[in-house]
Amino acid sequence: MISGMASGIGLRRRGPLVVTTSSAVRIINERAVFDDIAGRPEASVAELVASTGLSKPTVTLAVNNLERLGLLDQQARRTGNTGRTPRVYRIHGRAGTVVALDVGRAWLRVAVVTLAGEVLQRSEVKTRLRSGRILLDQIEQVSRDAVEAARRQWDELTLVVLGGPGVFDAENDIIRLAPNLPGWERTDTVPELRRRLGAPLQIENDVNLAAIAETARGSGPDFVFVSAGTGLGMGIVLNGRLLRGAQGAAGELAYLPFAPGDPTFSPGHRHPRLETSVAPQSIVNRARDEGLADVSSSEQVFAAARAGQPAADRAVLEEGYHLGTVIAAVVAVIDPGKVVLAGGIGRNGDLLLGPIRSRLRELVPLRPPEVTVSATGPDGSLLGAIDVGVAGARDTAFTRAQRSDRGRDQDSALTQKTPSSP
């Protein structure tokens, strides 16, 4: 089961429930039980009493109400003992449904997930980049196909979480700093996505989502997640929380300025030059300059380096030098406990970790941070979208159920107070 670590990041909250003191306590207790069950495949009342610290009558009342609201279901736990069969509870399989999307320049990945974190359907296709309109067509079609394959109805969706490059400007409903996807920065892209998907939509930066996934999988409370591939980006996690920045642009490494003394420095140039200097084509160009004329991709350069080609070794060594310099600048500002590498380039840790660590020892005045490669592979952003989506959808499903229940209680109270017609 996949656990959610970033509850409702960026969700648009509805107004609070109107509750009395007693109903507020009941809702708080029910939420504690709901969250506890959500973190495990199933649980009995006795287990919930032990883990929540609530009394048995309180837990029993909570699970009964949650079951009545359609958030939990129960089943018999099979044991080898004779006697009464204990009942266990779990998140109801249809209490909510999440669609998680990772839109990249090379691949479009999608997963359909329950509130319990069960992946019902997962697929990936090559991204169609001929135009922004074609990309939106593909996102809609791939999403609807996945939901149908998962045997869910589109109107059952609780939340869609879409991760992609760039920074989402919520105030203006536009994505910025995403030059690698056609049409992604157009003013009508996000409204068109909302119209096409027709479900609550949450947009997140793909590297931030990958950092959230890394947090959920034990990378510690303080680390930076550096993704080097088609683009260059970073997610920053401090004290267990994702750092977003004033405009949501924290970690946009590609725009780190070059020094005036650098030969590639260009005054007034706003293109992410740092990203270009470590991009796949740069590795290819360096390998060709070193005499390896027959390579056309960074994958080929890394393969040649593993095969012992000196020209490829030198190109890869220089790539590690550049990445180490970038990370050293980050360390000087943030002082992270760990650096996690990812992306099509960053995943080549067997070749890059050595030169990166060597460069950090040269540039960092104190002990350099630990540098590792992400264990999530190319699925990091999708896993983060699942984590965020499940957490946000649980919030939404619980709030909707409580609001509906509260409405029924108020309708019942009004009916009881209304005098009978003569």
Side-chain angles (χ1 to χ4, degrees):
M1 184 170 67
I2 300 168
S3 61
M5 297 297 294
S7 178
I9 298 175
L11 285 175
R12 296 178 177 178
R13 302 284 187 182
R14 295 185 178 181
L17 291 170
V18 179
V19 295
T20 64
T21 301
S22 59
S23 63
V25 171
R26 174 181 59 78
I27 291 171
I28 290 171
N29 291 337
E30 288 176 9
R31 186 57 195 259
V33 170
F34 182 68
D35 287 344
D36 194 289
I37 293 177
R40 59 176 87 190
E42 60 185 24
S44 67
V45 168
E47 289 167 339
L48 292 167
V49 168
S51 57
T52 64
L54 299 172
S55 68
K56 183 177 180 180
T58 299
V59 170
T60 301
L61 178 62
V63 295
N64 288 342
N65 282 338
L66 291 170
E67 185 179 12
R68 177 177 57 82
L69 294 174
L71 296 174
L72 299 184
D73 61 8
Q74 64 170 296
Q75 60 180 359
R77 173 179 288 174
R78 294 186 179 181
T79 65
N81 300 324
T82 58
R84 185 176 179 182
T85 304
R87 309 298 294 182
V88 293
Y89 297 85
R90 61 185 179 184
I91 299 293
H92 196 292
R94 301 191 85 99
T97 304
V98 174
V99 169
L101 286 158
D102 171 27
V103 183
R105 184 170 176 81
W107 294 96
L108 171 57
R109 298 180 172 91
V110 61
V112 181
V113 193
T114 69
L115 292 196
E118 178 189 0
V119 178
L120 302 175
Q121 174 67 21
R122 185 199 184 285
S123 60
E124 61 181 44
V125 297
K126 281 281 192 178
T127 309
R128 298 174 188 164
L129 297 173
R130 291 192 298 275
S131 72
R133 182 66 56 185
I134 290 174
L135 178 57
L136 293 182
D137 289 343
Q138 186 183 28
I139 291 170
E140 180 183 8
Q141 190 61 53
V142 167
S143 300
R144 291 188 180 276
D145 287 348
V147 170
E148 182 178 356
R151 298 183 178 180
R152 291 292 192 268
Q153 298 298 316
W154 194 259
D155 58 10
E156 290 184 74
L157 292 188
T158 311
L159 181 63
V160 176
V161 176
L162 184 150
V167 176
F168 177 52
D169 178 350
E171 182 177 350
N172 295 294
D173 212 29
I174 188 173
I175 300 170
R176 305 187 187 278
L177 308 183
N180 290 324
L181 285 184
W184 212 236
E185 297 177 313
R186 288 174 56 94
T187 57
D188 60 345
T189 292
V190 176
E192 179 70 5
L193 276 170
R194 296 189 196 284
R195 185 189 69 77
R196 285 170 175 261
L197 297 176
L201 174 65
Q202 182 173 338
I203 297 174
E204 294 285 346
N205 174 266
D206 52 358
V207 181
N208 280 345
L209 288 176
I212 289 170
E214 204 71 32
T215 304
R217 287 152 185 85
S219 274
D222 297 285
F223 70 93
V224 293
F225 186 94
V226 178
S227 178
T230 303
L232 179 65
M234 178 175 66
I236 305 168
V237 176
L238 297 176
N239 297 320
R241 297 181 64 85
L242 181 71
L243 179 66
R244 293 182 173 275
Q247 300 179 75
E252 288 293 324
L253 272 183
Y255 292 88
L256 195 67
F258 278 80
D262 192 289
T264 59
F265 175 75
S266 178
H269 199 291
R270 298 187 63 186
H271 186 75
R273 298 293 295 275
L274 181 59
E275 181 174 86
T276 302
S277 74
V278 298
Q281 190 57 46
S282 268
I283 301 176
V284 172
N285 293 341
R286 284 196 294 268
R288 289 172 176 171
D289 291 342
E290 293 288 346
L292 199 64
D294 59 345
V295 294
S296 59
S297 69
S298 60
E299 290 84 0
Q300 290 177 339
V301 177
F302 284 116
R306 291 186 180 97
Q309 293 266 14
D313 280 338
R314 291 191 291 271
V316 170
L317 184 66
E318 188 172 352
E319 177 73 8
Y321 175 92
H322 281 304
L323 284 174
T325 303
V326 171
I327 292 170
V330 172
V331 171
V333 177
I334 300 175
D335 187 25
K338 180 187 289 188
V339 177
V340 180
L341 295 178
I345 293 171
R347 285 194 292 271
N348 294 279
D350 58 324
L351 298 174
L352 291 174
L353 287 179
I356 288 173
R357 289 166 178 163
S358 177
R359 185 60 174 160
L360 288 175
R361 285 193 294 270
E362 292 176 3
L363 297 178
V364 175
L366 299 176
R367 176 177 53 83
E370 176 188 1
V371 185
T372 64
V373 175
S374 173
T376 62
D379 287 338
S381 296
L382 182 64
L383 290 172
I386 290 172
D387 289 348
V388 171
V390 169
R394 286 173 184 165
D395 285 346
T396 299
F398 184 86
T399 300
R400 284 176 179 171
Q402 294 292 347
R403 180 176 286 109
S404 174
D405 196 42
R406 183 65 182 171
R408 282 194 295 268
D409 288 347
Q410 290 173 341
D411 289 345
S412 175
L414 287 172
T415 301
Q416 292 176 7
K417 291 180 180 180
T418 301
S420 301
S421 300

